[in-house]
Amino acid sequence: MTDHRPPRTGKGTQRRAELLDIAERILIESGHGELTMRAVAAAAEVRLGHLQYYFPNRGQLIAAVLSRTLERTLQRLAPLLASADSTEPVADMVRMLLVEQDDFCLVRVYTEIWALAARDESTAEAVRDFYRTYQDHVVGLIRARSPEAPEDICRIRARVFTMLIEGAALFRSGIADRADSATDDTLIATATALLAG
């Protein structure tokens, strides 16, 4: 059986990142309908087998795009996630998540993947895995601020927080509506209350 884990060499890691960059670019510029394994291989000027060495199928490629997106977000939020002393860092974290929604390319990646997930079960599973991981981090944040809260309540609050923030992307990005400061203030207060208890 072939081992399809990402290579551990610096060159392999760099090549994998380049392939993910190309997949993201296709999503942004051409949409999910054009994100095929062959299209990524052609844009990268590699054989399909080379791409499949890193990502055996489209579902795993999309899962890697989502995983990298989450990792980048968590790295940006790490200083705020580490500070569990007050509600102010929580509000700062929510603001930072909203600032990310000002990046139309990032929002486009998400909307294209969501659209694809509605038609493709392997993509839908990658999206569900992504949001389970996202919610696990949110549960950790809630627990740090409300250690006495029951697990099921923490999970519910994490799910509602995720729905609120992710749904806001459609309304704040210009796709369904535009952001405005009064609405953002209420959104931040609501999201902060979910996290801070």
Side-chain angles (χ1 to χ4, degrees):
M1 179 173 219
T2 306
D3 182 0
H4 289 293
R5 288 178 296 185
R8 296 188 185 271
T9 66
K11 185 177 178 183
T13 300
Q14 180 181 347
R15 188 61 179 147
R16 186 176 192 276
E18 290 166 358
L19 294 168
L20 289 172
D21 289 341
I22 290 167
E24 284 183 16
R25 190 175 70 237
I26 290 170
L27 278 172
I28 293 163
E29 294 174 0
S30 304
H32 67 82
E34 299 299 317
L35 181 64
T36 65
M37 295 292 284
R38 290 190 188 283
V40 174
E45 299 179 347
V46 298
R47 292 186 324 269
L48 181 60
H50 179 81
L51 175 63
Q52 289 173 322
Y53 173 76
Y54 293 92
F55 310 102
N57 57 53
R58 186 180 189 205
Q60 290 185 16
L61 174 65
I62 290 167
V65 168
L66 284 168
S67 177
R68 184 170 76 160
T69 300
L70 178 62
E71 183 61 32
R72 287 174 174 169
T73 297
L74 291 174
Q75 285 174 359
R76 286 189 290 273
L77 295 177
L80 298 172
L81 290 170
S83 175
D85 297 340
S86 72
T87 58
E88 191 55 37
V90 175
D92 290 346
M93 187 193 75
V94 174
R95 281 187 198 94
M96 187 178 290
L97 288 170
L98 296 183
V99 166
E100 284 195 342
Q101 294 176 359
D102 294 337
D103 179 352
F104 188 75
C105 289
L106 182 61
V107 173
R108 182 77 184 257
V109 167
Y110 279 113
T111 57
E112 290 296 331
I113 290 174
W114 292 336
L116 182 58
R119 297 185 175 271
D120 179 75
E121 182 53 33
S122 66
T123 302
E125 186 54 39
V127 168
R128 287 189 291 267
D129 285 346
F130 170 82
Y131 283 112
R132 278 190 288 266
T133 302
Y134 183 122
Q135 289 171 23
D136 286 345
H137 287 284
V138 175
V139 167
L141 189 62
I142 293 167
R143 278 226 167 284
R145 285 161 173 74
S146 303
E148 73 292 342
E151 179 69 18
D152 60 331
I153 298 300
C154 291
R155 291 259 161 221
I156 290 168
R157 286 167 48 191
R159 287 188 73 205
V160 173
F161 175 86
T162 305
M163 292 174 191
L164 181 66
I165 296 299
E166 294 300 292
L170 290 174
F171 286 87
R172 295 185 72 261
S173 65
I175 294 172
D177 202 349
R178 300 248 181 247
D180 69 76
S181 59
T183 305
D184 279 356
D185 289 346
T186 301
L187 175 62
I188 290 165
T190 304
T192 299
L194 285 166
L195 296 179

